[in-house]
Amino acid sequence: MLNRQKFLSAIGNFFADPVFVLIRRELNAYFANALAYVFLIIFLALAGTMTFTIGSFFERRLADLQPFFQFHPWLYLLLMPALTMRLWAEERKLGTHELLLTLPINLSTAVAGKFLAAWLFAGIALLLSLPLWFTVNYLGHPDNGVILVSYLSSWLLAGVMLAMGSAMSALTKNQVIAFILGVFLSFLFIASGSPIVLGFLQSWAPAWALHGLANLSLLDRYDQMTQGVIGLDSLLYFALLIYLFLQATIVIIHLKKTA
Amino acid sequence: MLVADNLVKKFGNVAAVNGISLSLKPQEVLGFLGPNGSGKTTTMRMLTGFMNPTSGSVTMDGIALADNPIAVKSQLGYLPEGAPLYLDMTVLDFLKFCGEIRGLHGAYLRERLDISIGLLQIEEVLGKRIEALSKGFKRRVGFAQAILHDPAILILDEPTDGLDPNQKFHVRQMIKQLSATKAILISTHLLEEVGAVCSRAMIIARGKLVASGTPLELCKLSPHYHAVLATAAPSVLKLLRSAFVGNPLVTGVEEVRVNNKLTAIRLLNHQPAELLAAVNQAARAQNWVFESLLLEQDVLDDVFRRVTGGDGRHA
């Protein structure tokens, strides 16, 4: 009995934590206007279209979700900055950051709460694509382990891009600029290992720099992960990027409100 | 008690606030006066922990804001300039959010919500989205948020700015009511506010304190305080002037002109009662008719102009 009480009170404490209160507010804010629904519809429509057209889902005659996952980085390139552009830019434009940051919470709590809400929302979007997984199982015998890993990888990639978008949103009051900066930064990290970028640099950049740049690429690591190859270094790299860009968000907000 | 010691805030090489100190005691309403851009908002932002000072410190009951911001912030209620709010939320959701993130919950949260909502008279808009509210209601919601957690200290940045006279009256009534249990700091550039609600006032200009005291003490800084002001036809005023120039009770004579027409004469002095009696006596003897004859009391605007350099002397 006592343990049950302890458990319930622990749950109560968790939901009363400022981070959770903030996540709830932010998630409600997404659904309070059309943004959430527009986002979900666009994500599902684009992901579906790409899977069945460019991805040749049926023509491949393979029971897997590779055609679905392979376009996520490019889809996220536009959709994740759209999700994060308002995070801090809107707060600064309305002046509500003055209200938020004079509440008895740490700046890191505020940054984490807003980021986690966006990440959970991206998770909801991914979950809404589950019927595709069921369909593949109905049509054949896919490797469900790989699909599960792919879902987690996609969510992790979304997290990295949301953290980048969060930092870019902290830089400006203007949501459009926040969006463009977010797209640009994400593109740098996605495309840094692509043949186009490497080919462009090959003529003058030293080999070690090219190698380093190729290693920064999110695309390579993501492709490996969606094929079921999870390296600890890739997981750490994604986690490190999320951490670094959230720290950058904290520093930017701190500098902006003081300057 | 909230104490700020020698607060300095520099933006680049420019000091927006340059050595402001203040202390705020319970049951006190301290008015923070100054022209626009004088550093009022920046000072309040440092007091509430939104901005870190370049130098100087803020302490509350001995706890330094820099050492333990969460403990200090939890005792503060803050209405930022313009009362920013989350426009996409309903009033009730917003107030609940503010309460919950401050750690209020259950019966106590409900009790505090009831009290704040009742005090601000916002029952009728609880279910409305904040973006749909009038300016007056938005300000009241911002106010409700500031007092929700029953803070010991309230910091209100221009709480009546942009409100109509009825709304201003209501907000001032509330400040008076709340001052029974709290220490309140309000910033304003409306001088009528000081007489209406403040027990003490500080005037700042260009980031520095230039005058402080009770409203009466501040008024006494003006030579116009208790001057005899006579309004009459120009011919009468000219007679009055020539009769009292050189009178030992009179320390100076000023003309008040409207559209270059002489409308009143102000007799500066140190013995208002005696001078007023002398003017009355002369008026009866000479059959002068005054439109009005009074001792000036409300001279804060003159004090404000003098100490902030608005009279051109410091410009």
Side-chain angles (χ1 to χ4, degrees), chain B residues 236-251:
Chain B
V236 175
L237 292 175
K238 279 176 189 154
L239 291 171
L240 171 70
R241 185 192 165 107
S242 51
F244 278 85
V245 167
N247 185 308
L249 290 172
V250 175
T251 56

Side-chain angles (χ1 to χ4, degrees), chain A residues 16 18 21-22 24-25 29 32 91 94-106 254 257-259, chain B residues 9 11 45 48-52 70 73-74 78 80 84-89 94 97 100-102 129 145:
Chain A
V21 177
L22 203 57
R24 222 173 42 195
R25 188 212 101 67
E91 294 264 357
L94 293 175
T96 44
H97 67 319
E98 195 166 342
L99 203 64
L100 183 65
L101 301 178
T102 49
L103 290 169
I105 57 169
N106 292 318
H254 185 74
K257 76 185 170 83
T258 296
Chain B
K9 182 70 196 177
F11 297 111
R45 285 177 169 170
T48 52
F50 179 69
M51 268 182 184
N52 296 336
I70 291 188
K73 284 174 175 181
S74 63
Y78 181 36
L85 303 164
Y86 290 115
L87 302 179
D88 52 24
M89 299 179 94
F94 172 71
F97 162 72
E100 285 172 355
I101 205 161
R102 286 181 175 279
R129 271 161 77 118
Q145 160 279 129

Side-chain angles (χ1 to χ4, degrees), chain A residues 4-219:
Chain A
R4 187 164 167 261
Q5 272 180 359
K6 264 189 182 172
F7 177 72
L8 287 177
S9 112
I11 297 242
N13 285 342
F14 172 75
F15 286 113
D17 191 274
V19 171
F20 184 79
V21 177
L22 203 57
I23 291 174
R24 222 173 42 195
R25 188 212 101 67
E26 287 290 315
L27 275 179
N28 281 336
Y30 285 122
F31 287 101
N33 50 49
L35 177 74
Y37 303 100
V38 170
F39 180 93
L40 292 175
I41 290 167
I42 290 181
F43 170 74
L44 293 173
L46 283 181
T49 310
M50 287 177 164
T51 307
F52 293 108
T53 57
I54 318 172
S56 315
F57 178 75
F58 288 115
E59 290 80 352
R60 291 169 75 242
R61 309 195 67 79
L62 288 171
D64 66 9
L65 282 182
Q66 190 62 27
F68 172 66
F69 287 111
Q70 67 177 329
F71 298 111
H72 283 193
W74 306 106
L75 208 52
Y76 289 174
L77 192 59
L78 292 177
L79 290 181
M80 294 306 140
L83 211 52
T84 52
M85 64 184 191
R86 55 166 279 282
L87 273 196
W88 290 101
E90 192 182 37
E91 294 264 357
R92 281 186 52 212
K93 188 160 189 191
L94 293 175
T96 44
H97 67 319
E98 195 166 342
L99 203 64
L100 183 65
L101 301 178
T102 49
L103 290 169
I105 57 169
N106 292 318
L107 178 54
S108 53
T109 304
V111 169
K114 279 173 162 282
F115 164 75
L116 287 173
W119 204 14
L120 278 177
F121 184 76
I124 293 171
L126 266 177
L127 284 181
L128 289 176
S129 71
L130 284 183
L132 214 54
W133 191 356
F134 303 146
T135 309
V136 171
N137 271 286
Y138 175 75
L139 294 174
H141 302 284
D143 186 338
N144 283 321
V146 170
I147 294 180
L148 179 67
V149 167
S150 299
Y151 265 108
L152 291 175
S153 308
S154 175
W155 192 51
L156 211 52
L157 178 72
V160 173
M161 290 161 92
L162 290 172
M164 289 175 181
S166 161
M168 295 303 99
S169 178
L171 274 176
T172 170
K173 279 183 192 172
N174 185 320
Q175 294 196 32
V176 176
I177 295 176
F179 173 76
I180 293 170
L181 289 175
V183 172
F184 181 69
L185 185 65
S186 302
F187 180 75
L188 280 184
F189 274 84
I190 284 186
S192 62
S194 74
I196 311 168
V197 175
L198 291 181
F200 172 70
L201 297 173
Q202 215 160 22
S203 52
W204 52 274
W208 61 265
L210 288 178
H211 185 69
L213 199 63
N215 267 333
L216 285 180
S217 170
L218 289 170
L219 199 58

